[in-house]
Amino acid sequence: MLEAPFIARLRTATSILIAGAGGGFDIFCGIPLAEALRGAGKTVHLSSLSFSVLDGLPGARPTPAVLTVNADTPNFRRYFPEQHLSRWYRERGIEQSIHCFDRVGAVALHEGYHALQQELGFDAILMVDGGTDSLMRGDEDGLGTPAEDMANIAAVESLTVPMKMLACLGFGVDRYHGVSNELTLQAIAELTAAGGFLGTCGLTPAHAEVQAYREACAWVFSQMPQDISIVNSSILAALAGGYGDVHASDRTRGSALWVNPIMPIYWGFDLHSIARRVQYLDDMRRTTTWDEVRGVIRDHYDSTAASRRLRKGIPD
């Protein structure tokens, strides 16, 4: 009872890839775990399915769909949080590369993860989702923004790595994108029944790892003031004791948010258990382009119009 199972499993690994499940800033949700694992003597690697345009940038490419970004990578894009994060690490005396994936289909993503595994030798992958839309199976009334999550899940689930898990941070933040908190809890219940729920781990302001997370976000937000992360700024607001319709970014003005104390809690899951619930996973595995990824989700969602899971309201 003294340690969440997904944390206990990570303690048995020697080299861990923490992968942003969604695009862009999702990898920032892995910073507290990365700091803790590095402090425990583990080798930690970071990857991100990037929203940035990677074409034309110099750097190592293990496969055509992957660019290894570091603090020296030229940054002339308006949106490039991964490069800013690598620069923040250097400011702290740490050389931390971030392996950035182009938005491509699951086939190319799988090839990229396989090449990284061959190069880096990690024996565990922890995907980190900022929010909980990665738990949606495909027939819920509101899927959020699942394309990056599901392409990544399809790519990683079939990878030959001893340990594959997913952790969600930011419960409730996907309400901004139409995800039902009730259906999220129902998904967690079903994963629990299937043996795929691996416990929770809460962040508190006193943790040194959380302070590092705050500092990283603040520094990168200052470099990209027009593109402050909705997910991470909401989690940080919750860590500061915010509740309800709290807007930490001007990007959310005019919408109703639910900042809450559950946001700074990691929910850990077995990746295979999550993948088995995804109703369109087989089609997703065969995708080669980003248009195909989006098309698979759209076509499946349209096919569920008459049988979607509807929100009924969480009892008070």
Side-chain angles (χ1 to χ4, degrees), residues 33-301:
L33 286 172
E35 293 293 297
L37 290 166
R38 188 180 287 111
K42 309 297 182 182
T43 300
V44 178
H45 311 280
L46 303 179
S47 74
S48 173
L49 205 168
S50 184
F51 286 160
S52 305
V53 178
L54 303 177
D55 289 347
L57 292 175
R61 281 193 175 268
T63 69
V66 184
L67 173 69
T68 298
V69 169
N70 58 40
D72 295 320
T73 302
N75 189 346
F76 46 85
R77 314 292 194 211
R78 167 179 158 170
Y79 187 93
F80 204 172
E82 297 93 347
Q83 197 273 347
H84 288 301
L85 179 59
S86 191
R87 286 173 54 208
W88 175 79
Y89 270 111
R90 176 174 285 180
E91 292 287 323
R92 300 178 67 231
I94 300 171
E95 294 298 323
Q96 179 70 67
S97 297
I98 302 174
H99 306 282
C100 292
F101 288 78
D102 283 309
R103 282 193 281 184
V104 292
V107 172
L109 291 175
H110 176 87
E111 292 172 353
Y113 280 109
H114 176 72
L116 286 178
Q117 201 277 331
Q118 295 296 110
E119 175 184 333
L120 304 175
F122 51 81
D123 55 349
I125 294 181
L126 178 69
M127 298 183 67
V128 179
D129 181 21
T132 57
D133 54 357
S134 59
L135 306 183
M136 300 297 100
R137 68 182 197 176
D139 63 348
E140 294 87 356
D141 180 29
L143 301 181
T145 56
E148 292 81 12
D149 299 326
M150 294 307 166
N152 255 327
I153 288 170
V156 171
E157 190 267 342
S158 58
L159 204 65
T160 305
V161 176
M163 189 185 306
K164 291 173 284 190
M165 297 182 292
L166 182 144
C168 295
L169 185 71
F171 185 101
V173 74
D174 287 317
R175 183 172 182 266
Y176 176 76
H177 289 121
V179 174
S180 163
N181 294 323
E182 178 190 7
L183 295 180
T184 296
L185 291 173
Q186 187 173 340
I188 295 172
E190 292 173 357
L191 285 161
T192 301
F197 175 49
L198 301 178
T200 60
C201 173
L203 304 181
T204 66
H207 288 142
E209 297 87 351
V210 173
Q211 294 168 15
Y213 169 50
R214 278 178 161 167
E215 292 169 8
C217 289
W219 194 87
V220 176
F221 292 171
S222 73
Q223 307 300 304
M224 299 171 50
Q226 294 176 305
D227 296 290
I228 291 174
S229 167
I230 295 171
V231 170
N232 288 283
S233 62
S234 297
I235 294 168
L236 290 172
L239 276 166
Y243 182 81
D245 195 19
V246 177
H247 294 261
S249 165
D250 289 338
R251 294 177 61 197
T252 60
R253 299 296 176 188
S255 62
L257 300 185
W258 183 48
V259 171
N260 67 84
I262 309 176
M263 278 185 171
I265 295 176
Y266 285 111
W267 300 71
F269 304 94
D270 170 67
L271 188 67
H272 290 294
S273 298
I274 289 177
R276 282 195 293 268
R277 293 182 72 254
V278 180
Q279 295 175 336
Y280 50 86
L281 186 70
D282 288 342
D283 290 335
M284 184 61 71
R285 284 194 184 109
R286 294 190 286 268
T287 57
T288 58
T289 68
W290 195 245
D291 283 342
E292 289 177 0
V293 169
R294 297 177 68 180
V296 164
I297 296 171
R298 181 183 61 249
D299 291 347
H300 179 79
Y301 188 66

